[in-house]
Amino acid sequence: KKDIPVANFIMHEIHCNRNIEVCRYCSELIPKSEMKNHIESEHVQVTCKCGMKIEKCLLKDHEASACPLRPAVCQYCDIQLTFDKLQDHEIYCGARTERCGGCGRNIMVKDLKEHPRVCG
């Protein structure tokens, strides 16, 4: 999968056929001597803390963007909790009220950013 000078092509092709293998899972070119280690380290099935079984090489992406147990921060109080609990928490947390220093009315936390435009 690289440009090879024509003069070296036959030797290169023989070398590749003898020493390089395409991984059946990810299509990466791997030295034949390292294929077993590659499959065991990258493609073995592991279980995420959420219980989902996934290939080891995909675990970091899953934990960062898809795992329901990944860390998440409430937009209203900055508390850290798991993503699967975030929505319920933010509904509750955003419905709390705080007194406005300008007009003295109790304003829901979720409306505090917009309130200064209509305050007073």
Side-chain angles (χ1 to χ4, degrees), residues 58-78:
L58 302 174
L59 184 62
K60 283 188 180 180
D61 287 339
H62 168 77
E63 289 176 332
S65 62
C67 181
L69 299 180
R70 68 187 181 273
V73 177
C74 173
Q75 63 179 315
Y76 304 119
C77 68
D78 293 327

Side-chain angles (χ1 to χ4, degrees), residues 8-96:
N8 298 345
F9 188 78
I10 293 174
M11 290 301 291
H12 176 84
E13 189 174 39
I14 292 169
H15 170 78
C16 278
N17 285 333
R18 185 177 295 153
N19 297 303
I20 305 295
E21 209 173 334
V22 177
C23 175
R24 65 180 180 256
Y25 300 106
C26 65
S27 300
E28 290 288 323
L29 299 173
I30 309 293
K32 286 183 180 181
S33 61
E34 296 175 22
M35 184 59 74
K36 182 180 178 191
N37 183 48
H38 168 77
I39 289 174
E40 289 174 355
S41 66
E42 296 296 318
H43 301 295
V44 68
Q45 292 282 315
V46 293
T47 303
C48 178
K49 59 189 169 194
C50 70
M52 182 177 176
K53 290 192 180 285
I54 192 166
E55 282 187 31
K56 188 175 182 179
C57 63
L58 302 174
L59 184 62
K60 283 188 180 180
D61 287 339
H62 168 77
E63 289 176 332
S65 62
C67 181
L69 299 180
R70 68 187 181 273
V73 177
C74 173
Q75 63 179 315
Y76 304 119
C77 68
D78 293 327
I79 191 172
Q80 185 171 323
L81 46 134
T82 58
F83 183 80
D84 62 340
K85 293 186 166 71
L86 181 65
Q87 185 176 9
D88 288 341
H89 172 82
E90 285 186 338
I91 290 169
Y92 165 79
C93 194
R96 294 179 299 116

